[in-house]
Amino acid sequence: MEPAPDYQSLSDSITSSLLSTTKAVAKVTAQDLPFQRSLDPRTGSHVDEQSARLLSLAQTLLNNAASHPRIAAPKLRSVEGIEDSWRDVVDVVDSLLEKVDTYLDEYAGVAKEHSSVGGDQVTTPRTKQTQHPGQLGKEFRTQNIRKPQLGFQTKVENHSSEPFKPLLKSKPHASVLLEDSLELLENGTGQIQYRNPYETEISNYNYPPSMYMVCEPQPPKPYESTKAVFVDSIDSMWTMVTQLKAAKEIAVDLEHHDNRSYIGIVSLMQISTRDQDWIIDTIQPWRTELQALNVVFADPSIIKVFHGAFMDIVWLQRDLGLYVVGLFDTYHAARALGYPQASLASLLSRFVNFDADKKYQMADWRIRPLPEEMFNYARSDTHFLLYIFDRMRNELVERSNLQNPEENRILTVLQNSKDTSLQRYERFTYDAKTGKGSGGWYNMLSRTPGMFDKVQFSVLRAVHEWRDRVARDEDDGVQYVMAKHTLLSIARSMPMDLKSLSTTCQPMSPPVRARLSELLEVIRKAKKEGLNGPDMKDVFASQGPSFAMAGYIERARNPKDVAEASGSSQNPADLAIGNLSLRNETSRLWGTTFGSSLWTGKLDHGSNSDIRLALPLPPLTAEIFMNGTDSGSGVDVPAVPDPGALAAHPYVKEREGKTEESDVFVIKQLGGRKAKRSRRGR
């Protein structure tokens, strides 16, 4: 009997087989199989034979992987049936990975070996203390449970077009009375909205002197030897509020769910002081009573430490009527200090050597009772945050010049934190015709490479509007109803029968399945209307300077998205919409050079292979560097004096005494070695 191969040999053999199979599949799928079938019937027979063989192998692998009695392998009866059973396939693979994960933990000594008694035992996903990355267990994902919002005292209004009125019943720590704070205004997109009722208090807030002093950091209490209090009743809430009122700083974080809710739900709130952690159940029917926390959140004598509070501030207003005065955002602090990473996980690792298992970010935080793993994860988000705040505040003060506002890092962080607190919640509205507004198709397409013809464009707009209406009716997230890639696939393929539509919509959500015939009629109607409808490029040309620039301007409003502003795969220089070219008339660096006749005329480079790329350079004078206006984008950029741009700089003085010999600067000479030798021999 031959000895069993070692693990490395077996791994190399499997990897080699997978690579060769993947390469073969890639080559086959690159061919036009329907065309090859029509040329030679034997090709079709061979393809069908190999498809059946691969399907049988896949079924065998699934049967072997689904060894757990509570997980059944799906039946793959046809190639098309794989898409219908895709979610079940993913569940089998996930369960296999979780078992591998558990066995590796046992081998490494991280977890105790499970008893083989009781084959029906469910493998428990790793707890937070194992601190190893892994797959999120199925029991933690979006669950088909009763929607908690159905029991809320304040009912959800997904179809309302009225301005969102703050939920405040009273206004603690007010310098302006509540009735005088509820003032209507017009926002940047022309919508009428209520002001932030604490706008005056936040704007006029002065941080305490301790924020500008280096103080001894207070280490957190040991995580393992302390416990958190779960707040799930009004009585326990009032006990918590009493203790919070005595604190000088508190740390706050939220867990949010938006898959089975149109606007989303704050499902959990974590609050920590120096001595105690609380986990608050925010999906209780009495959740409106949590407005009592405003006596703490609006108290100017208490610093509230959040991380990445931009959305938390909005969610607190929308769901709980809570407002924050005295915010310190550690995200802004990480940016001001120039850390390479600004996530909470990176700060936990940096300051307390704690590896947060971020897979639970994608968990369904509506699950009750809350599993221990999720409870521990939520608690860790705030347990260490006040110590991190101490360390970051000290570093900001030490690296700040308090006498110079431009070098005052701590002042910058506090001002950015104030600006975050001034955010206000606005309803999800958009114009179905123009696609403008939050969640509209205009922003979606500005981030999507490629163009649609007028019929496809009509189908996309119609299905997008249908998806939004269904999501509002069902109080589900639009991505739960229909994913973005499915929406784009429907627009491109425009299926005209239930079978092809069902295939395109896989995996299909229950709301779509229940309305599949209705969706088909929407597609058919939109396809007819699209024959005489507007062109996609014409619509975008009428809305702004250009398709690409419109998307850039919209995204650039959020500093985090500026880096994604050029995500289109198309070359802007090759696109034109109507009479508006995507190339700017002027350049930020070269000025009007690109509009000169040199670019429109033909350059004679000769008939030989001596090809050169030439750019006419404007004189590099001080005026160019001192000009703070971006003429290419129309955005004013503050002029920052550059030592190299001053007239007294030695470079400028030296250049003034020289005579310009040419306006053409050769960047690169093209050609191989032979071409270069022939040039030298001339």
Side-chain angles (χ1 to χ4, degrees), residues 434-454:
T434 64
K436 293 295 186 69
S438 55
W441 52 259
Y442 183 91
N443 289 339
M444 182 188 75
L445 287 181
S446 69
R447 293 168 169 82
T448 304
M451 300 285 284
F452 295 91
D453 61 35
K454 59 171 58 179

Side-chain angles (χ1 to χ4, degrees), residues 218-236:
Q218 300 183 40
K221 290 189 174 182
Y223 188 85
E224 296 78 9
S225 61
T226 57
K227 295 183 179 180
V229 176
F230 189 64
V231 179
D232 59 352
S233 68
I234 296 180
D235 290 341
S236 58

Side-chain angles (χ1 to χ4, degrees), residues 512-588:
V512 172
R513 189 180 303 277
R515 296 172 172 81
L516 200 61
S517 298
E518 176 187 329
L519 176 59
L520 182 62
E521 291 304 314
V522 169
I523 297 172
R524 289 174 175 173
K525 180 180 178 182
K527 191 172 181 180
K528 292 179 181 179
E529 294 175 348
L531 296 173
N532 299 315
D535 239 9
M536 177 177 168
K537 62 180 182 180
D538 294 334
V539 171
F540 277 94
S542 66
Q543 298 297 326
S546 65
F547 180 21
M549 287 306 297
Y552 172 84
I553 293 170
E554 187 69 28
R555 292 191 296 274
R557 292 176 180 170
N558 185 349
K560 296 181 182 179
D561 295 338
V562 174
E564 304 172 2
S566 58
S568 174
S569 62
Q570 294 174 283
N571 183 359
D574 297 332
L575 268 176
I577 300 178
N579 297 324
L580 298 172
S581 173
L582 295 191
R583 179 191 292 136
N584 288 323
E585 296 298 327
T586 57
S587 164
R588 183 170 184 176

Side-chain angles (χ1 to χ4, degrees), residues 169-409:
K169 299 176 182 177
S170 62
K171 187 181 176 184
H173 307 287
S175 59
V176 178
L177 295 177
L178 176 59
E179 52 270 24
D180 297 331
S181 304
L182 300 178
E183 180 183 358
L184 289 169
L185 57 84
E186 183 176 319
N187 65 10
T189 60
Q191 290 179 301
I192 303 299
Q193 301 290 340
Y194 282 94
R195 287 186 182 276
N196 184 319
Y198 275 92
E199 179 177 332
T200 301
E201 289 78 6
I202 295 172
S203 300
N204 297 335
Y205 177 69
N206 293 316
Y207 286 87
S210 60
M211 295 298 297
Y212 304 92
M213 299 168 56
V214 175
C215 303
E216 184 67 25
Q218 300 183 40
K221 290 189 174 182
Y223 188 85
E224 296 78 9
S225 61
T226 57
K227 295 183 179 180
V229 176
F230 189 64
V231 179
D232 59 352
S233 68
I234 296 180
D235 290 341
S236 58
M237 179 203 71
W238 280 112
T239 302
M240 174 190 65
V241 170
T242 301
Q243 297 181 51
L244 289 174
K245 289 165 67 176
K248 293 183 178 180
E249 309 95 1
I250 63 172
V252 185
D253 191 37
L254 304 178
E255 302 301 339
H256 190 263
H257 177 85
D258 56 9
N259 202 35
R260 299 304 310 275
S261 168
Y262 182 75
I263 62 174
I265 308 172
V266 174
S267 303
L268 210 67
M269 184 192 304
Q270 305 95 276
I271 302 179
S272 293
T273 63
R274 303 283 183 181
D275 304 310
Q276 183 65 60
D277 302 322
W278 289 272
I279 308 295
I280 302 106
D281 188 355
T282 57
I283 57 174
Q284 291 286 342
W286 50 265
R287 66 193 321 229
T288 54
E289 299 297 325
L290 287 169
Q291 279 193 40
L293 280 169
N294 273 323
V295 300
V296 176
F297 281 29
D299 188 341
S301 66
I302 302 175
I303 298 296
K304 296 84 187 174
V305 182
F306 285 68
H307 181 84
F310 183 83
M311 292 308 302
D312 291 344
I313 293 295
V314 173
W315 293 336
L316 286 172
Q317 297 174 16
R318 180 198 67 198
D319 286 10
L320 307 175
L322 293 175
Y323 294 81
V324 178
V325 178
L327 170 69
F328 183 96
D329 194 332
T330 52
Y331 170 81
H332 293 311
R335 288 302 184 201
L337 292 169
Y339 291 171
Q341 294 180 317
S343 67
L344 179 56
S346 68
L347 297 183
L348 288 168
S349 177
R350 182 188 189 99
F351 290 108
V352 294
N353 196 29
F354 184 90
D355 294 329
D357 200 344
K358 304 308 288 185
K359 67 184 180 184
Y360 293 108
Q361 283 183 325
M362 305 305 296
D364 187 345
W365 289 97
R366 306 171 304 158
I367 297 174
R368 298 295 184 273
L370 198 63
E372 182 181 0
E373 295 87 347
M374 294 171 63
F375 186 91
N376 289 333
Y377 167 81
R379 180 190 173 203
S380 69
D381 280 349
T382 57
H383 180 80
F384 304 101
L385 195 54
L386 290 179
Y387 174 71
I388 293 173
F389 156 71
D390 287 344
R391 296 279 301 272
M392 299 186 81
R393 179 204 57 215
N394 286 350
E395 188 176 354
L396 285 166
V397 174
E398 290 171 347
R399 296 174 59 181
S400 293
N401 182 351
L402 301 182
Q403 309 304 320
N404 186 351
E406 294 183 359
E407 300 176 6
N408 194 336
R409 297 174 188 259

Side-chain angles (χ1 to χ4, degrees), residues 493-506 520:
S493 61
M494 296 182 292
M496 297 303 290
D497 58 79
L498 287 175
K499 182 179 179 180
S500 57
L501 177 58
S502 176
T503 301
T504 306
C505 289
Q506 296 299 329
L520 182 62

